[in-house]
Amino acid sequence: MFSRAHKALVALFFFHAPFGQCRVNTIIRDVAIIGGGASGTFSAVRLRDEGKSVVLIEKENILGGHVNTYQDPVTGTTVDYGVEIFHDMQIVKDYFNRLNVSWAIEVLGPRSSAPDYLDGNTGQTVKYKAPNPVAGLIAYAEQLSKYLNIGLGFFLPDPVPDDFLLPFGQFLAKYPDIGNATYTIFSYGQGLGNFLDQPTLYVFKNFGLDIIQGISSGFLVTTSSDNYEIYDHATKLLGSDVLLSSRVVSTQYRGDHGVELDIETPTGTQVVIAKKLLIAIPQKLNNMNRFALDTREANVFREFGNSGYYTSLVRNTGLPANFTSYSVSPDTPYNIPRLPGVYDVVPTAIHGVFDVKYGSPHSVPDGFVRKQILSYIKKLQANGFAENVSGDPEFVAFKSHTPFELTVSRDKIANGFYKDFYSLQGHRNTWYTGAALHTQDSSLIWNFTESYVLPELLK
Ligand SMILES: Cc1cc2nc3c(=O)[nH]c(=O)nc-3n(C[C@H](O)[C@H](O)[C@H](O)COP(=O)(O)OP(=O)(O)OC[C@H]3O[C@@H](n4cnc5c(N)ncnc54)[C@H](O)[C@@H]3O)c2cc1C
């Protein structure tokens, strides 16, 4: 058997070998990118445009990560039931222009002028009157404005401010002027799990000044209402540099000379040898264990917990075409609904098809969520919201987005977790990007990647 050191030398040789001399099934690139969601696809396109050779390895059979677009087979109408909106930022416009994706700025109105506020578990009406959030949002923005750097990444003051560590419910008790904006912040921050228990830092990151700006002056949307277009065009542009339905099965070498990875693909095992590695998948320990982690790396990744976030399209509900419900709880602070449970049921552009979102503080099995969603629709029918029920509700589409929000404990935040995480950039010729390094927001992640990650990969 060859030793690891010998393999490293072989890898080094490959970097200088003309392609014809390489092993069959060996892919040699400047940068290997793992994960073809928002951050990985953006990185692949940008690095290629800057003259680097890349390979993008994605476990699913399409690129796009949390982007889910359903096309109605009868009318051709498309519905985005995953990622919907982007920020009015130059980097987003440049990226979309590069991919030939047409965009517009749209001020989002309320989805319904008279939504039903229902208990997200029982489907019963809750006496709830949505407060005007404006004064609360201004008070919230005042607090956020003290920490502009966190809009760019996890660039935390040292020491970490106590307010960042307070559970968000306690932060609201400390700054009662924000109270009326709580449900608005919650509804944009779907997927955060137990929202009032999360350290305020994560709420600040999730609902930052860019979101407040977007609410007032508009978000960027694709004019086709088909966000998959971004990834369809990227897939075509990247061509054979994309390996779909593929994953790393083992890491032969990762260090000063680059990386050597064994990749399982639909056509068999391939070896990828690259000068640099960019990891753009959720960096949870169980998703990282094929990368031959050292203790320093494992000690960072093992700290992540996660929430669960699920999205679906349901038809045959019997609900009126414009039925819209938002979940609230009759007896929790600020009426924030208890999870696991349904977030909301909203109509889509396809007649009779409703978008139903579901959240949990932790991962739960897909089968459980599917049952819960269908049983919730039946509760709505039993509670008299349906007009004409015939047959059972059924899924047009369902997607688990678990693991979603990656978070660590308050103690870990206070003790420098994000410094330790960021200090891994470049360690063993490996870099990281994606939501765990910033927040669940494609536009902001692209900005982070462009500003702080790509310059290192372009050296
Ligand atoms: C329902 C929903 C709605 C959202 N709406 C918006 C929105 O409107 N606007 C917005 O800006 N953001 C939105 N987000 C958040 C946004 O999608 C994320 O912030 C963004 O996708 C994160 O990018 P990422 O590259 O970190 O991860 P992802 O986009 O999740 O990409 C990770 C990729 O890695 C792949 N992968 C995972 N493990 C492996 C592995 N072992 N090997 C190979 N590949 C792997 C995954 O399949 C995925 O394609 C939404 C998210 C969800 C779930």
Side-chain angles (χ1 to χ4, degrees):
M1 290 287 283
F2 289 143
S3 69
R4 177 158 286 227
H6 177 86
K7 284 179 173 163
L9 285 175
V10 173
L12 186 61
F13 161 75
F14 274 131
F15 293 138
H16 300 288
F19 276 80
Q21 294 177 19
C22 297
R23 278 185 283 161
V24 177
N25 293 335
T26 299
I27 298 168
I28 300 179
R29 294 289 190 275
D30 290 321
V31 185
I33 303 166
I34 316 297
S39 61
T41 305
F42 174 83
S43 303
V45 171
R46 289 287 302 117
L47 286 168
R48 270 230 330 209
D49 280 355
E50 294 294 327
K52 294 289 176 191
S53 61
V54 300
V55 60
L56 177 60
I57 296 149
E58 164 58 45
K59 75 176 166 63
E60 301 292 335
N61 62 1
I62 53 171
L63 298 181
H66 296 311
V67 167
N68 303 127
T69 307
Y70 173 76
Q71 183 166 40
D72 182 40
V74 179
T75 60
T77 306
T78 49
V79 169
D80 283 309
Y81 63 104
V83 174
E84 289 180 57
I85 50 174
F86 305 89
H87 293 300
D88 180 0
M89 291 167 66
Q90 195 55 44
I91 192 166
V92 181
K93 295 172 187 172
D94 290 346
Y95 184 43
F96 285 19
N97 292 343
R98 170 69 183 96
L99 293 175
N100 224 353
V101 170
S102 90
W103 51 266
I105 305 297
E106 200 175 289
V107 177
L108 304 182
R111 293 196 229 189
S112 161
S113 53
D116 284 294
Y117 288 98
L118 307 181
D119 184 311
N121 295 112
T122 65
Q124 282 168 348
T125 301
V126 175
K127 271 198 182 154
Y128 172 78
K129 187 168 178 319
N132 182 332
V134 174
L137 285 176
I138 292 169
Y140 177 79
E142 249 170 54
Q143 293 302 322
L144 264 181
S145 308
K146 296 181 189 167
Y147 313 108
L148 293 180
N149 277 351
I150 64 167
L152 301 171
F154 276 103
F155 300 115
L156 311 186
D158 189 6
V160 176
D162 288 345
D163 280 356
F164 283 13
L165 307 174
L166 284 179
F168 191 58
Q170 287 182 29
F171 176 82
L172 290 168
K174 185 171 171 187
Y175 300 100
D177 289 354
I178 298 172
N180 279 353
T182 308
Y183 194 83
T184 303
I185 299 170
F186 161 78
S187 60
Y188 273 85
Q190 280 190 4
L192 256 178
N194 278 338
F195 171 73
L196 295 176
D197 296 339
Q198 286 289 9
T200 296
L201 171 65
Y202 293 120
V203 180
F204 274 4
K205 296 280 299 154
N206 221 276
F207 190 88
L209 291 172
D210 295 276
I211 299 274
I212 297 175
Q213 172 80 36
I215 292 173
S216 68
S217 61
F219 289 96
L220 191 147
V221 295
T222 56
T223 49
S224 58
S225 296
D226 173 0
N227 287 340
Y228 180 64
E229 198 185 3
I230 306 160
Y231 294 91
D232 181 41
H233 290 197
T235 307
K236 286 177 182 138
L237 181 80
L238 294 167
S240 59
D241 288 341
V242 179
L243 300 182
L244 295 172
S245 306
S246 301
R247 336 169 142 247
V248 174
V249 283
S250 59
T251 298
Q252 298 299 336
Y253 176 80
R254 195 157 63 81
D256 291 346
H257 304 301
V259 296
E260 181 182 337
L261 310 167
D262 293 333
I263 314 290
E264 196 175 74
T265 77
T267 54
T269 304
Q270 307 238 18
V271 177
V272 166
I273 295 177
K275 292 177 188 161
K276 295 182 177 180
L277 175 66
L278 175 62
I279 297 187
I281 62 179
Q283 289 95 3
K284 282 206 63 159
L285 192 57
N286 62 357
N287 207 17
M288 295 292 295
N289 56 16
R290 301 294 168 92
F291 293 98
L293 302 178
D294 65 19
T295 310
R296 181 177 156 200
E297 294 163 336
N299 284 344
V300 168
F301 304 135
R302 79 172 78 256
E303 293 304 329
F304 281 122
N306 68 274
S307 63
Y309 192 20
Y310 308 82
T311 181
S312 66
L313 296 176
V314 184
R315 72 176 164 207
N316 214 21
T317 63
L319 297 167
N322 60 351
F323 175 85
T324 304
S325 73
Y326 299 137
S327 295
V328 287
S329 164
D331 54 8
T332 57
Y334 313 95
N335 298 93
I336 298 301
R338 288 198 171 77
L339 299 180
V342 166
Y343 279 121
D344 49 25
V345 178
V346 298
T348 68
I350 305 172
H351 183 77
V353 172
F354 289 86
D355 183 327
V356 185
K357 297 273 194 301
Y358 189 94
S360 168
H362 44 77
S363 302
V364 281
D366 291 4
F368 172 82
V369 178
R370 291 171 75 104
K371 263 194 193 158
Q372 291 288 103
I373 290 175
L374 293 182
S375 118
Y376 184 74
I377 300 292
K378 287 190 169 175
K379 285 176 192 167
L380 296 183
Q381 295 171 345
N383 293 339
F385 292 103
E387 280 172 339
N388 43 27
V389 180
S390 73
D392 287 330
E394 56 189 47
F395 287 106
V396 171
F398 174 88
K399 190 75 187 162
S400 163
H401 293 278
T402 300
F404 196 58
E405 187 81 17
L406 265 51
T407 54
V408 302
S409 69
R410 275 181 280 160
D411 281 355
K412 290 288 164 193
I413 298 170
N415 292 327
F417 174 83
Y418 285 100
K419 272 195 182 148
D420 293 345
F421 188 14
Y422 277 23
S423 78
L424 293 180
Q425 295 287 24
H427 175 60
R428 300 173 72 201
N429 260 313
T430 304
W431 280 262
Y432 302 88
T433 187
L437 288 105
H438 193 357
T439 183
Q440 290 288 354
D441 183 313
S442 315
S443 316
L444 298 185
I445 292 170
W446 293 333
N447 198 43
F448 172 84
T449 306
E450 181 74 32
S451 305
Y452 303 107
V453 184
L454 297 189
E456 294 298 314
L457 296 172
L458 287 169
K459 277 182 185 163

